[in-house]
Amino acid sequence: MRERVLSALRSWAPVAVGLTAVCVLVYAAAQHGLRSSLDDPQLQFAQDAASRLVDGISAKAAAAGAPVDVAASLAPWVMVYDAGGKPIAGAAKFQGAAPSFPKEFFELAAREGENRATWQPRHDVRVAAVVEYWRSKKASGFVVTGRNMREVEARIDSLRTQVAFGWVLALAATFVATYLLVPAAAREEHEEAGWRARSSPS
């Protein structure tokens, strides 16, 4: 019995490694797709608002919209900040005040033109944020757009559970199949060895 299990494990190990690699790749690709798509509305709003600011529209008009509670709402929001990172327009609020971002958010956007990041102002609040740098002949600053990640992260958690369940089920099924096939394979090998021995000239 012990030898049969060990033999099955040796035969099954490469299959288990392959299954694990496939499950990891599937999860990574799906998770990346979900997280990346979360930025799509923010990118559109940020780029459109920055373009309008360059054309001369006021910051208030560029960031016009209904008030949004960053911690509670799933709606995308738009804020305009000056060149120093100080909020000057927008209706988004976090704990009663305009969202305040680390200076690194703005520094990277100023260098690269755009910055996409996850902002976590509180342990239970995560926001997919996009920072767009804009500059006109008269002024410069930043447009920041964001959206609460709560719903997408719930989907990612569900995906993780489904992939883990599928991984465990596939491992169990392939091991059982390998275990059941070991005696037959050993029998065939034994019979083939006996046939070779009988066929060999004495």
Side-chain angles (χ1 to χ4, degrees):
M1 177 69 175
R2 183 171 178 272
E3 290 181 359
R4 182 179 176 183
V5 171
L6 291 175
S7 180
L9 283 172
R10 284 193 295 269
S11 300
W12 172 74
V15 177
V17 171
L19 283 173
T20 301
V22 168
C23 289
V24 169
L25 289 173
V26 167
Y27 171 75
Q31 189 270 348
H32 178 73
L34 285 170
R35 177 59 185 88
S36 297
S37 66
L38 188 58
D39 288 332
D40 291 345
Q42 295 90 287
L43 284 170
Q44 177 192 340
F45 294 155
Q47 291 173 2
D48 288 351
S51 178
R52 295 171 69 195
L53 286 163
V54 171
D55 290 341
I57 196 172
S58 69
K60 184 176 181 180
V68 175
D69 182 344
V70 170
S73 177
L74 297 176
W77 45 266
V78 180
M79 295 287 295
V80 178
Y81 293 73
D82 65 17
K86 179 181 177 181
I88 55 177
K93 298 292 182 183
F94 177 67
Q95 295 181 337
S100 177
F101 297 93
K103 64 179 182 178
E104 291 80 11
F105 273 38
F106 300 110
E107 290 174 351
L108 181 58
R111 290 197 305 269
E112 304 293 336
E114 184 180 277
N115 181 21
R116 308 179 195 184
T118 298
W119 175 52
Q120 186 168 356
R122 201 171 65 199
H123 72 91
D124 60 338
V125 178
R126 283 165 56 85
V127 174
V130 174
V131 186
E132 195 82 17
Y133 178 66
W134 65 274
R135 176 185 290 275
S136 67
K137 294 180 179 179
K138 296 181 179 181
S140 65
F142 303 90
V143 175
V144 180
T145 62
R147 185 162 56 139
N148 194 300
M149 297 173 61
R150 182 174 68 247
E151 185 62 27
V152 170
E153 289 192 321
R155 294 177 188 173
I156 291 174
D157 288 341
S158 177
L159 171 68
R160 185 185 301 114
T161 300
Q162 292 171 7
V163 171
F165 178 77
W167 174 65
V168 172
L169 188 62
L171 289 179
T174 54
F175 178 75
V176 169
T178 304
Y179 180 80
L180 294 175
L181 289 172
V182 163
R187 222 173 20 250
E188 290 176 3
E189 184 178 347
H190 178 73
E191 290 173 357
E192 184 179 349
W195 180 84
R196 284 199 303 266
R198 289 193 300 271
S199 301
S200 299
S202 55

